[in-house]
Amino acid sequence: MDSSGKYNAAKLALELVKDGMVLGIGSGSTVEVFLNLLGDKIREEGLEIYGIPSSYQSYFAAIRNGVEIVDLVEFEPDLCIDGADQVDAKLNCIKGGGGAMTREKIVAKASRKVVIIVDESKLVEKLSMPVPVEVLPFAYGYAVKRLKEKAKDVRLREGKGKVGPVITDNGNFILDCDFGVLEDKEVEEMERGTKLVSGVVENGIFPKKIVDAVIAGSQSSARFL
């Protein structure tokens, strides 16, 4: 994948950031590009920017780039900038490739405006990739059985470079659930239905109602969808 798409999407999103803003900060490689560009802007223009990160990755990247860390107890984000693993033609998204979807969804829902930034290679007609589902370790066996009633396949995500399952920032497991192709009318139903399984904390389906805009970057430019 050409990294210039991520850069151009992040650069266009940077134009939305104003001095004194509280940002909801998503996770992933495109968000990290955005934070690096934001750091340059903070240093060059002397801005004060506050941030509520959704993962340890974005927490450390935000600090490194001069963002003052705050929390949801005191602040409501003016703008949430986040990435996605797939975005369909209606702006429904699947997130969670990095395992941070629970905090990402909390931050997104708490924000006044949500903008998703992606390389254009993430754009699809319909959502089709496996959906990450965060589950309490105690509920793992039960949740797998219930989710298999809806999914073609359910797999425990295992770590690279470590023994055993991936552990989220919340101390939970991730199940990657293949629900096949999701039609637009099925997206919200699947998001709600998955969360009805006892022990499921959250899933990586971000329905279009959560998303205000998507910025897609190409090798030469970026555009709002």
Side-chain angles (χ1 to χ4, degrees):
M1 183 189 300
D2 193 327
S3 61
S4 56
K6 298 179 181 182
Y7 176 86
N8 288 328
K11 187 176 179 181
L12 184 54
L14 194 65
E15 297 179 11
L16 302 174
V17 179
K18 308 299 180 187
D19 189 27
M21 263 191 171
V22 178
L23 294 179
I25 304 172
S27 304
S29 57
T30 309
V31 171
E32 189 151 7
V33 172
F34 168 80
L35 287 171
N36 291 338
L37 291 173
L38 177 60
D40 292 339
K41 186 179 178 76
I42 289 171
R43 288 185 287 272
E44 291 167 7
E45 301 180 18
L47 304 182
E48 286 191 4
I49 301 295
Y50 305 91
I52 301 175
S54 59
S55 67
Y56 289 124
Q57 179 215 24
S58 55
Y59 173 84
F60 291 125
I63 290 176
R64 186 170 65 246
N65 284 292
V67 176
E68 184 175 339
I69 304 300
V70 295
D71 59 42
L72 290 172
V73 175
E74 294 184 275
F75 295 90
E76 179 181 87
D78 301 296
L79 171 67
C80 176
I81 300 291
D82 204 350
D85 299 302
Q86 273 192 346
V87 180
D88 75 9
K90 300 293 186 180
L91 306 189
N92 298 298
C93 303
I94 292 179
K95 296 174 45 53
M101 61 280 183
T102 296
R103 296 189 186 190
E104 287 171 340
K105 194 174 284 187
I106 292 169
V107 170
K109 286 190 171 183
S111 300
R112 294 189 179 98
K113 186 174 183 179
V114 177
V115 176
I116 301 295
I117 56 176
V118 293
D119 180 280
E120 64 177 5
S121 66
K122 302 295 181 70
L123 303 180
V124 295
E125 186 63 28
K126 298 176 183 178
L127 299 179
S128 58
M129 66 175 286
V131 175
V133 176
E134 183 165 349
V135 62
L136 297 171
F138 179 76
Y140 163 68
Y142 170 78
V144 168
K145 291 175 184 176
R146 295 287 79 80
L147 291 168
K148 279 186 175 179
E149 294 172 1
K150 300 181 180 183
K152 297 179 180 179
D153 188 38
V154 177
R155 298 196 178 189
L156 176 65
R157 188 181 299 181
E158 297 195 352
K160 295 178 181 178
K162 73 177 288 291
V163 176
V166 168
I167 304 298
T168 70
D169 289 353
N170 306 312
N172 297 318
F173 292 170
I174 297 174
L175 301 175
D176 289 307
C177 303
D178 182 0
F179 297 115
V181 175
L182 292 178
E183 302 289 341
D184 176 51
K185 63 183 179 181
E186 298 174 319
V187 171
E188 284 192 39
E189 180 184 345
M190 189 62 72
E191 193 236 359
R192 288 194 303 268
T194 301
K195 289 195 287 188
L196 291 175
V197 175
S198 296
V200 167
V201 178
E202 189 53 87
N203 61 63
I205 299 174
F206 281 56
K208 60 190 176 186
K209 67 180 182 181
I210 299 176
V211 179
D212 293 291
V214 172
I215 297 176
S218 67
Q219 189 172 356
S220 59
S221 63
R223 68 190 191 280
F224 280 91
L225 301 181

